[in-house]
Amino acid sequence: MGAKDIIIGAAAGYEWTDVEVWAESLVASGFTGLGAVIVSDQDRRGDLVAENLESLGLYAVRMPLRDSVYNHQFEDIAHVLQTIASSLRFAVVTDVRDVYFQTDPIEWLVAHLDRPFLAASESLRYSDEGWSRENLQRTFPEHVDRLWSKAICNVGVLAGQAGMMADLCLAITRIAESSGQQVAAQSGYNLLLDMEPYRSTVQLVTSEDGFACQAGTVADPAKIATFRPFLLEPEPTLAADGVRTAAGKLYPIVHQYDRVPEWNQALRNRLLSAPVLEAVRNAWRPPGTAPRASLAGVLRGTNGTSIAHAANTLGVPRESSSIRLYSGELEHPVPDDSPAPRVSVVCPTYQRPELLRTAVRHYCSQTYDGGMELIILDDSPEPADFLDEKLCHEHRIRYYHVPNNRMTLGDKLNLMTQLARGEIIVEFDDDDYYAPQYIERMIEFLGDADFVTLSRWFAYDPANKIFCYWSTDILSPTHFVLSPWEPIDTTSTKGWPESWVDGKVWGYGFSFVWRKSTYPEVEIRGYPPGGNSCDLDFTLSLQKAGFKTVCVADTEGLVLHILHPKSSVRMFPQYVLPDFLIPNFFPLYSAEEI
């Protein structure tokens, strides 16, 4: 069996009537891959949506609603795609309530996609479309000029290589979160498209290319008279067999079809005469009879049993096809009756066993002798196999594996704070290098304060052999720009506000050390308001509550912040140093181990 394709969307607060056209038109289109909807409602309404999807041979992925559905649906979709990405070829991600499938969109991708993913144009520029323009001004006001003359691409239809789609959906969530607004996915998506690496990897698809029709801008009778002078392409038409481009191509996808009453009625009528829908329903086995294969089971033939096992660890309820995520309970290990340590090291991790192995090695090599424990919270599908009972007992390691409960970084850190037995908590990122004297020196720096972090520190990009130093508490006239998705460059900080440094000094959690006594007055939040990261939100909350926070410079080589190819951070160091100096500051560091 070859790699499969998936078409997926998300539904929150929807009745079955809101999902029905998406589901039925997908089946009638001739699509033969995996069709799935993330169903957020955990009540009877959600059950009815799930049952009806299954009656059509589609899959319901049950996940609870988290914060803004507009922004966070993409993170949920990313998680599902990432879980099974190795068995997928193409992924199409769409809105659900207002999308109609006329033909199989995968056939278009096979014939025409020549880049990792595509973006579907709305045929209008930002300067000419009121809703998108106002949304951009509200969510990313500092970037209005950047996108003002660009064509708008609609976030309601995404398509491309499955792995790329998983990463893109996660990126959309993260950039939308940074705006602090509830509805920021569309503007955030367009901002990403104008940035590397997306700008170089996207295939911009126009309406006349015939992949997706965005009816809201090219056909809505309530708006078309206003938009017509500014349209970048000819208007599509309704033919006997469906909606076509001006040149006569039948669109696989019609988005926002319901805004055009004539189209809405014609397309729904086509479903009434689709014999395949009745045939699919007749073939469905209701509960109580032999179940059809789960989503994991369908994929088993493409990647051995590993994909099936990984998906099954997430939970497959009711002997049915639906995968239910976030259903696991935290199982506590055997209580530790030894004297409470002074320091609890907390290390959140996810699907990086080799990096975790290295982080454990850094912990075990620490010179601090005042009593330590290591708490690891791992929500990977599979447990880390190197953490055996002997190792954990000898080095006071408590390992929590919660495969059915994917968590945010903030939620992980908050839970580990509660589990910590020490009076001082030290955060270890699993992908950074911590020198043996790190904990000993950071506790000295903490002194009588409640919290300490490093304001000046070393960083290293092993792939490009770039060794640098960043004084985050200083806004210099010129900074280097270092990230995994662009070549190293310099930037002028002329016009940057002095407040910019605050987010950098207090916003990097890899060197956080704090007293447990700050909890529960101040918690680490999973989804902080205002678009701040959980790290920055935590330190600002400590300061607002009156706790003493201090920052110090690392001038001796305590921690090396590692930039990985999959890192999501951009750094702005003032100094790039010869990499042959690394052994002078970090004599025990080896690039091969990170």
Side-chain angles (χ1 to χ4, degrees):
M1 183 189 300
K4 285 190 169 288
D5 307 303
I6 189 170
I7 295 178
I8 186 170
Y14 286 178
E15 304 291 344
W16 168 242
T17 53
D18 298 313
V19 182
E20 185 176 20
V21 171
W22 184 96
E24 291 189 347
S25 67
L26 179 59
V27 173
S29 73
F31 173 66
T32 59
L34 306 171
V37 176
I38 294 175
V39 180
S40 297
D41 299 290
Q42 303 300 301
D43 53 12
R44 181 55 182 161
R45 174 172 55 184
D47 291 342
L48 287 173
V49 171
E51 290 167 8
N52 278 288
L53 286 169
E54 291 173 3
S55 75
L56 290 169
L58 305 176
Y59 295 86
V61 182
R62 306 301 294 271
M63 299 173 76
L65 180 62
R66 298 176 296 131
D67 198 44
S68 167
V69 65
Y70 300 102
N71 297 339
H72 287 279
Q73 64 175 325
F74 291 101
E75 181 172 17
D76 294 338
I77 290 171
H79 183 51
V80 173
L81 292 179
Q82 190 60 50
T83 302
I84 55 178
S86 62
S87 293
L88 296 174
R89 179 180 56 167
F90 292 124
V92 178
V93 178
T94 75
D95 288 348
V96 169
R97 186 188 57 78
D98 58 357
V99 165
Y100 189 103
F101 298 95
Q102 299 191 122
T103 62
D104 181 359
I106 301 301
E107 294 180 359
W108 192 99
L109 296 179
V110 170
H112 303 290
L113 186 69
D114 55 19
R115 294 207 174 184
F117 75 108
L118 63 77
S121 172
E122 289 193 354
S123 304
L124 282 174
R125 294 185 176 90
Y126 262 101
S127 58
D128 302 321
E129 203 280 299
W131 184 91
S132 293
R133 182 175 64 244
E134 292 169 7
N135 180 253
L136 176 62
Q137 291 169 332
R138 184 171 58 254
T139 54
F140 298 100
E142 67 275 25
H143 297 296
V144 169
D145 290 344
R146 178 174 187 161
L147 297 181
W148 187 256
S149 62
K150 301 292 177 66
I152 306 162
C153 291
N154 196 291
V155 77
V157 178
L158 312 174
Q161 298 168 3
M164 184 72 182
M165 286 295 95
D167 291 345
L168 176 62
C169 286
L170 182 58
I172 291 171
T173 297
R174 291 293 169 257
I175 196 170
E177 281 180 334
S178 73
S179 73
Q181 300 293 320
Q182 290 291 301
V183 183
Q186 171 109 332
S187 55
Y189 170 57
N190 279 269
L191 187 55
L192 285 173
L193 294 178
D194 198 52
M195 300 167 60
E196 297 295 351
Y198 302 102
R199 185 167 54 200
S200 298
T201 53
V202 65
Q203 181 175 334
L204 296 175
V205 174
T206 68
S207 180
E208 280 297 289
D209 286 328
F211 178 70
C213 173
Q214 308 293 348
T217 53
V218 298
D220 185 348
K223 299 178 180 179
I224 191 60
T226 301
F227 291 157
R228 186 171 285 126
F230 306 103
L231 287 179
L232 303 175
E233 304 174 69
E235 297 168 40
T237 60
L238 177 64
D241 59 348
V243 179
R244 290 181 173 270
T245 68
K249 300 175 184 176
L250 187 66
Y251 293 101
I253 296 174
V254 183
H255 184 205
Q256 302 163 337
Y257 69 91
D258 56 340
R259 301 190 188 185
V260 187
E262 184 183 7
W263 292 13
N264 188 10
Q265 186 63 52
L267 294 178
R268 287 176 179 269
N269 286 341
R270 289 185 64 199
L271 293 179
L272 296 177
S273 58
V276 66
L277 294 175
E278 190 62 30
V280 168
R281 286 197 180 93
N282 290 337
W284 180 59
R285 297 170 182 261
T289 62
R292 69 191 178 103
S294 68
L295 181 56
V298 171
L299 294 171
R300 180 178 289 111
T302 61
N303 195 29
T305 59
S306 60
I307 292 297
H309 182 65
N312 284 331
T313 61
L314 295 170
V316 181
R318 304 193 316 274
E319 294 294 329
S320 76
S321 61
S322 298
I323 290 181
R324 184 181 298 273
L325 306 181
Y326 298 88
S327 61
E329 298 295 331
L330 181 64
E331 297 181 1
H332 293 272
V334 177
D336 185 351
D337 296 325
S338 60
R342 188 181 183 213
V343 172
S344 293
V345 179
V346 296
C347 182
T349 189
Y350 177 73
Q351 287 195 323
R352 303 202 289 198
E354 292 309 312
L355 292 177
L356 179 62
R357 185 191 299 269
T358 302
V360 170
R361 188 158 58 244
H362 296 161
Y363 161 78
C364 293
S365 67
Q366 292 296 305
T367 59
Y368 178 73
D369 60 1
M372 297 187 304
E373 68 172 352
L374 172 62
I375 300 172
I376 301 169
L377 186 53
D378 182 1
D379 51 352
S380 306
E382 299 292 338
D385 57 7
F386 68 91
L387 287 167
D388 56 37
E389 184 177 352
K390 181 175 183 294
L391 175 68
C392 291
H393 178 75
E394 288 182 358
H395 296 281
R396 300 187 71 168
I397 298 172
R398 289 194 283 157
Y399 176 65
Y400 295 84
H401 181 231
V402 285
N404 296 338
N405 193 9
R406 187 79 176 98
M407 304 170 70
T408 67
L409 174 60
D411 289 335
K412 285 183 180 180
L413 291 170
N414 194 57
L415 179 55
M416 287 189 287
T417 298
Q418 299 173 54
L419 295 171
R421 302 172 66 227
E423 63 181 271
I424 297 172
I425 298 174
V426 177
E427 182 178 344
F428 264 28
D429 280 4
D430 63 5
D431 56 352
D432 290 324
Y433 171 78
Y434 295 89
Q437 72 275 24
Y438 174 77
I439 292 178
E440 184 177 356
R441 294 288 287 137
M442 291 300 288
I443 290 178
E444 292 175 6
F445 290 142
L446 179 66
D448 64 352
D450 300 296
F451 170 94
V452 65
T453 188
L454 296 176
S455 58
R456 304 181 183 186
W457 35 268
F458 297 90
Y460 185 49
D461 177 358
N464 297 300
K465 299 188 181 304
I466 299 173
F467 181 42
C468 56
Y469 190 78
W470 187 6
S471 298
T472 64
D473 56 340
I474 296 176
L475 186 61
S476 301
T478 302
H479 285 248
F480 290 95
V481 181
L482 188 62
S483 76
W485 58 83
E486 59 191 346
I488 188 170
D489 201 355
T490 58
T491 185
S492 170
T493 62
K494 184 178 180 180
W496 291 20
E498 288 292 331
S499 60
W500 179 81
V501 303
D502 292 335
K504 308 309 174 185
V505 172
W506 305 108
Y508 282 83
F510 71 90
S511 63
F512 280 9
V513 175
W514 67 96
R515 296 189 185 277
K516 185 174 179 177
S517 57
T518 61
Y519 178 87
E521 183 174 351
V522 175
E523 297 188 8
I524 305 175
R525 293 185 280 195
Y527 293 103
N532 290 330
S533 68
C534 65
D535 297 326
L536 180 58
D537 178 74
F538 177 47
T539 51
L540 294 180
S541 297
L542 287 172
Q543 293 165 356
K544 184 177 181 180
F547 290 105
K548 183 178 180 180
T549 60
V550 297
C551 58
V552 297
D554 177 11
T555 59
E556 57 194 274
L558 296 176
V559 59
L560 188 59
H561 190 46
I562 307 297
L563 186 72
H564 294 284
K566 293 186 178 181
S567 297
S568 59
V569 299
R570 172 182 277 166
M571 294 186 286
F572 298 86
Q574 291 98 333
Y575 313 99
V576 171
L577 311 172
D579 67 340
F580 63 74
L581 291 178
I582 292 179
N584 292 29
F585 292 97
F586 302 96
L588 299 181
Y589 168 75
S590 170
E592 285 71 28
E593 74 171 15
I594 297 290

